[in-house]
Amino acid sequence: MSHTEPSRPKRLAIVVPCYNESEVLPLSVPRLLAVCKKVRDTLALEPCVLFVDDGSADQTWDIIEREAQASPYVRGLKLAHNVGHQHALWAGMEWAVAHADVAVTIDADLQDDEHVILQMVRHYLDGADIVYGVREQRIGDGFFKRTTAQAYYRFMRAYGIDLVYNHADFRLLSNRALKALTAYSERNLFLRGMVRQLGLPSAVVTYNQNPRKAGTTKYPPRKMLSLAIDGLTSFSVRPIHLTFYAGIICMLIAVVTIIMAFVKHLMGHTITGWTSLIMSLWFIGGLVLMSLGIIGEYVGKIYIEVKQRPRYLIEKEVGDASEQ
Ligand code: UDP
Ligand code: MG
């Protein structure tokens, strides 16, 4: 087998998840191919770009197929249905475990600076297993996305969850890191938290993030919120503790009000506080519902985990894998 030959160049797979990206792909493909050429010429690696079509409903797969025919560097995986960004990345990483020595994951819109991939590979050649791409400036995101995302990083850190500030899913992983990561069996994926837990030698590269050149975001606020909740509840049980403490505080308040009411009754005052009564009723009701919601979130996670369903299904594959 070829991997026993000492002289074989190391293989780099650039993994690109694509969901309805037919508008931006024609712009991104040549840029990624230019990076491949540089990687081959200056660093002597054998590169390829793996596009993972996450069940797109537009022309995305046709473009990938066409590009795979036109260039020996292009590979494609077509997932049978839309499984979401994190799982599409997972599919690409499992492919890379078998076909590459090192992988870089990057979004199809190339908001992350693709030239940084060369720096990442240099760090890898110097011994890093993980290289985090960190956005120095988020000029590419609107005010809402930028502020909510940054507040989220701080919030997660306050909850003791280790994240690299302003790092999303643009990173390099060595084959060793990929193997370690894909051994995790969980279905609730929050990759930026999981990778951080691997603890292998790592490095950081910084860049300025650009606006999307074409197409629209595939992360509307609803998906952002769901990723945020996943990140929190997959890595911390502190919200459950908080509901417990909140319950204790409410009970203490209730005991105090009962004592006060009793004392007032003994002193001959009639209780007239209908307003305060109804307010506390709503307050407690809300608190109970919120606590149930938090617990339900965890129970739902357990439900998804115990089913152990496949993460994705590959419908088709293109590109010359024999060359790899
Ligand atoms: N994506 C995906 N599946 C989805 C949603 C998004 O594979 O269900 C991909 C998408 O094609 C892109 C990346 O995830 O390559 C990030 O999406 P996007 O750039 O729209 O997110 P944003 O940068 O706005 O957060
Ligand atoms: Mg984007």
Side-chain angles (χ1 to χ4, degrees):
M1 278 181 61
S2 62
H3 65 258
T4 53
E5 290 167 22
S7 60
R8 181 180 62 70
K10 288 200 184 307
R11 295 158 306 176
L12 164 73
I14 302 174
V15 174
V16 188
C18 310
Y19 178 53
N20 293 340
E21 297 288 11
S22 59
E23 285 176 52
V24 88
L25 271 184
L27 306 173
S28 303
V29 173
R31 286 168 60 185
L32 289 168
L33 290 180
V35 170
C36 280
K37 197 170 166 334
K38 267 201 198 125
V39 165
R40 202 193 52 179
D41 294 347
T42 62
L43 300 170
L45 270 79
E46 191 54 59
C48 74
V49 188
L50 174 75
F51 292 98
V52 182
D53 177 6
D54 184 14
S56 300
D58 65 356
Q59 305 303 309
T60 300
W61 180 249
D62 300 336
I63 298 174
I64 296 171
E65 264 186 335
R66 217 172 33 237
E67 295 293 345
Q69 271 152 23
S71 163
Y73 292 134
V74 176
R75 312 267 186 280
L77 278 188
K78 180 173 164 52
L79 305 186
H81 59 275
N82 180 238
V83 291
H85 181 206
Q86 303 284 294
H87 286 87
L89 282 172
W90 193 273
M93 292 191 303
E94 287 196 329
W95 184 92
V97 169
H99 296 93
D101 299 293
V102 53
V104 172
T105 52
I106 187 166
D107 289 349
D109 54 10
L110 297 191
Q111 281 187 276
D112 305 308
D113 184 356
E114 77 278 13
H115 300 104
V116 168
I117 293 177
L118 278 112
Q119 287 177 43
M120 289 180 157
V121 174
R122 281 196 198 102
H123 281 294
Y124 162 74
L125 295 173
D126 287 343
D129 280 287
I130 303 168
V131 185
Y132 299 100
V134 169
R135 299 164 187 158
E136 214 150 45
Q137 279 181 6
R138 300 179 66 121
I139 37 179
D141 284 332
F143 174 77
F144 174 74
K145 181 144 196 166
R146 193 171 57 235
T147 40
T148 50
Q150 291 181 341
Y152 182 64
Y153 285 109
R154 296 211 181 87
F155 177 77
M156 293 287 275
R157 200 167 280 182
Y159 266 59
I161 300 161
D162 189 14
L163 288 184
V164 178
Y165 189 67
N166 267 343
H167 160 70
D169 284 307
F170 180 31
R171 70 175 77 83
L172 174 145
L173 294 169
S174 70
N175 194 277
R176 180 158 75 134
L178 285 170
K179 275 205 186 101
L181 184 66
T182 49
Y184 281 52
S185 64
E186 63 208 69
R187 263 51 183 169
N188 291 291
L189 296 181
F190 187 62
L191 292 170
R192 62 196 79 167
M194 293 162 71
V195 169
R196 197 75 184 125
Q197 286 192 340
L198 297 177
L200 291 166
S202 66
V204 167
V205 292
T206 53
Y207 61 94
N208 290 331
Q209 180 209 33
N210 296 310
R212 210 178 224 282
K213 294 278 186 313
T216 50
T217 175
K218 308 300 176 296
Y219 261 104
R222 182 180 53 79
K223 275 196 188 171
M224 269 166 63
L225 188 66
S226 131
L227 182 71
I229 293 175
D230 263 358
L232 180 63
T233 52
S234 297
F235 281 86
S236 174
V237 287
R238 210 176 282 181
I240 287 197
H241 294 164
L242 285 185
T243 61
F244 179 71
Y245 295 135
I248 290 185
I249 291 169
C250 287
M251 271 165 53
L252 287 179
I253 294 173
V255 168
V256 171
T257 45
I258 287 169
I259 293 173
M260 272 168 52
F262 189 63
V263 170
K264 277 190 179 172
H265 177 74
L266 287 184
M267 287 163 59
H269 297 294
T270 38
I271 305 285
T272 49
W274 185 83
T275 320
S276 59
L277 190 76
I278 208 78
M279 266 171 58
S280 52
L281 196 75
W282 278 96
F283 177 73
I284 303 289
L287 198 73
V288 169
L289 281 180
M290 194 189 79
S291 309
L292 279 177
I294 292 176
I295 292 165
E297 183 69 32
Y298 284 92
V299 174
K301 284 231 145 82
I302 297 168
Y303 176 64
I304 287 171
E305 297 297 346
V306 294
K307 282 193 289 191
Q308 288 281 308
R309 287 196 175 159
R311 293 189 172 88
Y312 57 86
L313 188 68
I314 295 173
E315 188 186 314
K316 275 189 225 165
E317 202 173 335
V318 287
D320 188 4
S322 61
E323 216 190 50
Q324 280 287 303

